[in-house]
Amino acid sequence: MQPKNLKRLLQALARQGLDVSYNNKTYSIRLSNTSDAPVAEVLLPQGFPVEAKALKQLANLANVRHPAGGCVCRAYATPDFHPGDGGIAIGSVIETIGQVIPSAVGSDINCGMRLHVANLTIDQFLAKRNQFVERMKGDYFFGTRDVTMNARTMHALFQYGVPGWVDAMLDEPTGSFVKSDLNELLAEGDLIFLNGSMEGDWKLAPEELVPENGLVRDGGLATIGSGNHFVEIQRVERVENRALAHEWGIKEGQIAFMIHSGSRNVGKYIGGMWRDKAKASWEKGLKYPDSHIFPLSVHSHPELVTQYLQAEATAANYGFVNRLLLAELLRLRLREVYGDVEAPLVYDLPHNITLREGAGWVTRKGACPAYEGQPVIIPGSMGTPSYLVVGKGNPAFCASASHGAGRVLSRFDLTRKGASQSEEALGLTGVDCITLREERRIEEAPAAYKPIQPVIDVQVQADMVGVVARLSPVLTFKG
DNA sequence: ATGTGC
């Protein structure tokens, strides 16, 4: 951030009652309402753009405190953070004790990333690119995908995530799934964060947490979704950590595919429902919080906290299986077009989820868990590289990392002004993007995003992550 | 984020 803009930003925040100081050495911004410890901290590259609105949202979140008991004991934002629609900045990381905040997770429960590599070179891939695109288009956009589910497999999917769903399918395979492939899925289960299963002390059947409506339940399975979600073919452009790349099965020059998607309508339904339930649980006569962010306290509503966490787990499990199915379709079509292609999973991890950590819960809204030694997938844009990094479990940042580069222009900005801009100005020159809706391509153009390199660099300098490999986009599918 | 919206 330029010193001049920074000064203006700090003044604007001071007018809103936030005392902000900028530490030039660590490039962190501290917000504090009192003379006590800062309520929130943001790690930023020097000179990086940041919106006052995002800082205000972060401070609001850091101050959420249920009158019956509960607190946000720590609050951070990752360097890609930017204002969010529901009053919560994307890139927020909070640790809560005695309370959970459904709206801090929001609707996009278990939005996350999945990365595979494939034993194909870029030239081999491009030679049959058109044939491949036609098949994938049918699956992702026109519903020719075959993901037939029965009530039993859906129940297992909701309650136990990937391993539950695979077990149920092994008993009774449906659609194009065969036992050998399902056994392979079981074998790579430990390459999914939490094994792709948010288990809990289930007091409610998933059927009580997710509506019967088929559109919500299985209409979204194996579909990409909109917004920043995508499926992308990439090239491993550079390996920076040879030992880990070898261990994780990554080789320079090979093809990779990256999936960014979540729990679709299930998360939307559950997130919206629990945002409302938290508000409705507010005692009559008690003043609403100014921020309109409503927590659920374990002291006044323990049963609601349990139910919310179960509902969130239900949607999270759906999200894990959705990404798996998107990847399975891609694997299937790769084999059809290119022959016997091996496409092993590198890792799958969520960046929008509440996790039990230590004495409380850590809620990451558009931020990755970055535990020691764990793979972290940080996407760029359809015109800029994505990164595979390794977590350092740094407690100073709640063992977290950024989930992308961060938006610099809103979708609205681009739908309004983007159409009149040149391909070059939008950063779309040379970008191969497949979508049924031209406005998606514009809204998600590289120009909508901040530069990713400084975001990665500042996290490496802060010892949050280490770079393992850089992947460049080859072909992007947008919903 | 969402077959979106002021």
Side-chain angles (χ1 to χ4, degrees), chain A residues 169-245:
Chain A
M169 289 289 281
L170 273 168
D171 284 351
E172 208 180 337
T174 61
S176 60
F177 292 97
V178 296
K179 288 204 176 187
S180 56
D181 291 344
L182 291 162
N183 278 318
E184 245 178 74
L185 292 178
L186 273 191
E188 65 187 14
D190 59 345
L191 296 174
I192 308 177
F193 190 80
L194 295 177
N195 296 297
S197 183
M198 296 283 289
E199 292 193 46
D201 173 21
W202 295 89
K203 296 198 173 61
L204 290 175
E207 286 73 8
E208 295 174 79
L209 300 166
V210 185
E212 292 287 349
N213 181 343
L215 185 74
V216 173
R217 286 205 171 194
D218 53 12
L221 278 174
T223 62
I224 299 172
S226 59
N228 56 357
H229 291 176
F230 64 81
V231 172
E232 188 168 271
I233 305 293
Q234 303 173 334
R235 179 179 179 274
V236 180
E237 190 185 300
R238 190 179 149 75
V239 162
E240 295 202 10
N241 180 329
R242 300 221 160 261
L244 271 184

Side-chain angles (χ1 to χ4, degrees), chain A residues 113-115 190-193 345-349 374-375 377:
Chain A
M113 305 298 306
R114 189 177 176 97
L115 177 68
D190 59 345
L191 296 174
I192 308 177
F193 190 80
L345 173 62
V346 176
Y347 207 65
D348 181 306
L349 91 156
Q374 172 222 303
I377 304 161

